[in-house]
Amino acid sequence: MREFGFELALCAHLEDPETLVARQLGGGVAAPGNRILDVVTVTPGPEFDARTEITPARIPALAVESDVGPGRFRYWKDAFDCHPDRARDVVDRAVDVGFFERERRGNRDYVRQVARYPDWFGRIRAIENKPDLGSPGALRRQLRTDVSLALADEVVLATESHVTRAHLNRIPDEVGVWRFDPPDGVEVVQPPTPLPVDAGGIELVEEHPGRAEIRPVTAAEKSQYRRRLAERAYGKGWRPDEFPACRRATVERGGVPRCDWHGRVVDPGNECGPDCPEYAPDDGPTVDAAAERADRSPWVDDPDGVARRQAGLDWFSYSGH
């Protein structure tokens, strides 16, 4: 199976009422874009229900980390330690998704959180997909980076290949190994070792012939970026942004795009369209990705929203006088 299809099939297999699944997320601290995690799973924490009530979208990291709180309104410029243009964008986005509410006083905007940001996530798992271990590429370096940084609670390698002792000897001992076959599910070849997420870590920033640039990462930085990673996973999910607009397209269980001509899962953005010899323009399958995700995972598609609920209570109190 091609890596894209393998990844989507694995995401569909892992998603359940107790597991959020997302894919293609930055997995670094000093250089988040240097390490892209194929799949991330997040289990709900003690205040997960409070998080679902706020918004189905990702809450901007700088909004959570700002000095805006759920108490009194604050002048927005005083609450951010970044360029005002960046702060304005964050405020606008936080208001749009329902995490901030805004009040106009004269010619100034004041903001506050609609609710305290909750302690909503539990364990984070990072999964590296490598269907064919015969073509490992940079696999060893990627997994060593994940283990030494320890941003996720555990790291797993998922493959379709038969796993030998030689394969296991080439990866860090802490990495779990799954053999995944879509019809049959996951076979645990080697369980992962829990990583020290509460301690500092070491991040590989750049690698050159004969030398590597690394950066120590503190426990506080890791805590901040774990929250950012979990928040991105909550907002993004794993389903593709588009589905094939072709008569040959179908949808597998969970919302996975499949092509009957190819006989496999396809990547709509790269494989479907006029360049395909069997492309047959059509509306394609009807897929409600949000409904699929809400039905199969703990994510909530259309919460009442704390801001809307508070507005309703304010109206009720006012109308009762």
Side-chain angles (χ1 to χ4, degrees), residues 152-173:
D153 293 274
E154 59 187 42
V155 175
V156 169
L157 166 65
T159 183
E160 202 173 19
S161 298
H162 175 68
V163 182
T164 67
R165 176 51 56 184
H167 290 135
L168 296 178
N169 288 339
R170 296 189 191 107
I171 65 173
D173 293 339

Side-chain angles (χ1 to χ4, degrees), residues 9 58 107-108 130 149 173 191 249 299 308:
R58 176 179 67 87
N107 62 350
R108 284 186 163 195
K130 192 60 64 176
L149 178 58
D173 293 339
W299 179 77
R308 279 184 285 171

Side-chain angles (χ1 to χ4, degrees), residues 171-193:
I171 65 173
D173 293 339
E174 297 90 342
V175 176
V177 180
W178 293 347
R179 190 176 183 196
F180 175 62
D181 180 64
D184 299 326
V186 167
E187 173 195 353
V188 178
V189 177
Q190 175 173 288
T193 300

Side-chain angles (χ1 to χ4, degrees), residues 85-288:
D85 289 346
R86 174 65 175 142
R88 170 61 78 181
D89 289 343
V90 172
V91 166
D92 290 344
R93 179 59 182 163
V95 170
D96 287 345
V97 302
F99 183 58
F100 281 0
E101 55 185 341
R102 178 161 35 201
E103 181 176 273
R104 190 77 172 172
R105 299 178 184 174
N107 62 350
R108 284 186 163 195
D109 284 342
Y110 289 75
V111 292
R112 70 179 178 187
Q113 294 179 7
V114 299
R116 178 182 61 83
Y117 187 81
D119 177 16
W120 68 267
F121 63 91
R123 294 184 66 79
I124 299 175
R125 177 196 290 138
I127 303 171
E128 179 68 17
N129 296 324
K130 192 60 64 176
D132 181 9
L133 291 180
S135 303
L139 178 63
R140 185 175 184 178
R141 174 179 58 80
Q142 291 167 333
L143 295 176
R144 286 176 62 87
T145 297
D146 296 342
V147 169
S148 65
L149 178 58
L151 191 63
D153 293 274
E154 59 187 42
V155 175
V156 169
L157 166 65
T159 183
E160 202 173 19
S161 298
H162 175 68
V163 182
T164 67
R165 176 51 56 184
H167 290 135
L168 296 178
N169 288 339
R170 296 189 191 107
I171 65 173
D173 293 339
E174 297 90 342
V175 176
V177 180
W178 293 347
R179 190 176 183 196
F180 175 62
D181 180 64
D184 299 326
V186 167
E187 173 195 353
V188 178
V189 177
Q190 175 173 288
T193 300
L195 299 177
V197 294
D198 294 330
I202 300 294
E203 181 173 357
L204 175 63
V205 178
E206 287 187 36
E207 192 170 32
H208 307 279
R211 67 183 180 89
E213 181 181 340
I214 62 172
R215 187 202 146 182
V217 176
T218 67
E221 288 175 314
K222 279 173 56 173
S223 177
Q224 179 186 72
Y225 275 79
R226 277 171 57 81
R227 184 183 64 240
R228 290 187 176 193
L229 180 59
E231 190 62 48
R232 290 197 301 269
Y234 190 90
K236 184 176 183 183
W238 61 267
R239 289 168 177 83
D241 294 331
E242 59 183 277
F243 288 80
C246 177
R247 283 196 297 273
R248 295 187 175 275
T250 59
V251 179
E252 291 187 350
R253 168 181 167 269
V256 178
R258 179 182 175 84
C259 173
D260 288 340
W261 179 68
H262 282 292
R264 58 173 172 79
V265 176
V266 289
D267 181 351
N270 293 315
E271 295 185 274
C272 301
D275 292 339
C276 175
E278 291 297 318
Y279 176 62
D282 188 68
D283 291 338
T286 300
V287 182
D288 188 336

Side-chain angles (χ1 to χ4, degrees), residues 6-20:
F6 181 88
E7 184 166 291
L8 290 195
L10 180 60
C11 288
H13 175 78
L14 294 174
E15 187 176 59
D16 63 37
E18 296 297 324
T19 308
L20 290 167

Side-chain angles (χ1 to χ4, degrees), residues 295-318:
D295 183 59
R296 290 167 51 87
S297 82
W299 179 77
V300 176
D301 177 23
D302 188 23
D304 288 339
V306 178
R308 279 184 285 171
R309 187 168 64 250
Q310 288 176 342
L313 290 173
D314 290 345
W315 177 87
F316 181 79
S317 299
Y318 175 79

Side-chain angles (χ1 to χ4, degrees), residues 48-90:
F48 182 80
D49 288 347
R51 172 63 185 85
T52 67
E53 292 175 356
I54 298 172
T55 175
R58 176 179 67 87
I59 297 173
L62 291 182
V64 178
E65 296 158 14
S66 72
D67 289 334
V68 177
R72 64 183 179 87
F73 282 92
R74 293 200 61 181
Y75 178 47
W76 67 274
K77 280 188 178 180
D78 293 341
F80 288 87
D81 184 20
C82 63
H83 192 281
D85 289 346
R86 174 65 175 142
R88 170 61 78 181
D89 289 343
V90 172

